[in-house]
Amino acid sequence: MDYNDFSERLKKTLNSLNGRFDDDIAVYVTHEKNETINPDNTKTTEISYNYIFGNDDKETIINRIFIILYNIASIKDHLKNSLHKKGISANVVEDEINNSLHLQVLIDIVNQEKHGYPLKKTNRSNKNPLIIGACQVLQTSVPARVENSVSGLMFTPSGIQLVGDGAQKIKIDAEITDGDKNRLFSLDELIETSYEKFLALALKHNCC
């Protein structure tokens, strides 16, 4: 990898964004069959199943989130370097951050992880942002522009069966809040909006 190639940096970051998702649902789905023995030693006809979507612990999930956030935040300095080579002031990057709550929160979360919480010096958003409720969930979707399409799961004695025209993924989910735990936006919104804003700025100045 050419560390000074800004286009390569963007591709690497975009690839890391997809680290939130995994198509291989079978790796994450577990179910338990519970049989009740009656007083006469016969088995009850009722069987209950417990399905758990996701098998990573909280620390692993948080680490995966920070890898993505670090990669997006690192675009800032690489973009500044690319602009400098074109004779454009790096202040345009700082101006973009100052005008975007998403970018401010992104930078604050990454800096908090490095320097401690709350930030004592540079606090871009003044929100003291937190990542709340990090977990893995099952996401189902249907194909665009397909009428009456469905996507779902059937729970069977042998496990789950995917049905319909759509797709299912295990994804990492979380909420981004301020220091008082008032919701700001979803993790997905923070990631996608922050990346799109840096990308738009890079395209505007022909950096990629």
Side-chain angles (χ1 to χ4, degrees):
M1 175 181 175
D2 182 352
Y3 293 99
N4 295 320
D5 187 325
F6 185 72
S7 294
E8 286 295 316
R9 171 63 55 177
L10 284 178
K11 290 178 184 177
K12 175 178 178 290
T13 302
L14 182 59
N15 182 267
S16 77
L17 267 57
N18 294 327
R20 290 172 289 165
F21 308 103
D22 196 332
D23 296 329
D24 190 2
I25 295 179
V27 174
Y28 296 92
V29 178
T30 60
H31 68 281
E32 299 175 356
K33 182 170 69 173
N34 301 309
E35 296 180 331
T36 302
I37 304 299
N38 296 321
D40 60 358
N41 289 326
T42 61
K43 293 181 181 179
T44 184
T45 55
E46 295 183 1
I47 302 175
S48 63
Y49 294 86
N50 180 33
Y51 291 83
I52 303 171
F53 296 100
N55 58 7
D56 289 341
D57 57 33
K58 184 177 180 180
E59 290 73 22
T60 299
I61 294 171
I62 289 293
N63 283 337
R64 290 174 64 185
I65 290 173
F66 270 106
I67 288 172
I68 296 170
L69 298 184
Y70 264 94
N71 280 331
I72 301 174
S74 72
I75 295 176
K76 180 186 75 167
D77 290 334
H78 288 278
L79 182 53
K80 285 183 177 182
N81 292 337
S82 184
L83 290 170
H84 178 73
K85 292 176 183 177
K86 293 177 176 293
I88 302 172
S89 172
N91 287 338
V92 298
V93 178
E94 294 300 330
D95 291 341
E96 185 71 22
I97 295 171
N98 291 334
N99 290 322
S100 168
L101 179 59
H102 292 85
L103 291 178
Q104 291 169 8
V105 168
L106 168 71
I107 300 301
D108 282 348
I109 288 176
V110 169
N111 283 335
Q112 286 169 177
E113 204 277 335
K114 289 191 292 186
H115 305 298
Y117 184 91
L119 292 172
K120 302 297 184 182
K121 295 181 179 179
T122 306
N123 190 326
R124 304 295 292 263
S125 68
N126 292 315
K127 297 291 185 181
N128 296 322
L130 298 167
I131 300 173
I132 298 296
C135 63
Q136 289 173 298
V137 299
L138 177 70
Q139 174 180 283
T140 63
S141 59
V142 294
R145 304 185 187 90
V146 177
E147 240 184 285
N148 301 319
S149 58
V150 297
S151 176
L153 303 172
M154 287 182 62
F155 294 84
T156 71
S158 59
I160 65 168
Q161 179 181 342
L162 308 181
V163 296
D165 313 301
Q168 293 81 22
K169 297 179 180 180
I170 297 295
K171 66 168 286 190
I172 290 176
D173 196 27
E175 295 291 316
I176 308 300
T177 73
D178 63 16
D180 295 320
K181 298 188 178 180
N182 298 306
R183 186 181 188 275
L184 297 175
F185 23 73
S186 68
L187 175 66
D188 281 348
E189 182 180 337
L190 174 64
I191 289 172
E192 292 164 8
T193 302
S194 297
Y195 179 80
E196 288 168 1
K197 285 185 176 295
F198 277 139
L199 177 61
L201 189 61
L203 291 172
K204 178 180 178 180
H205 295 285
N206 299 312
C207 294
C208 58

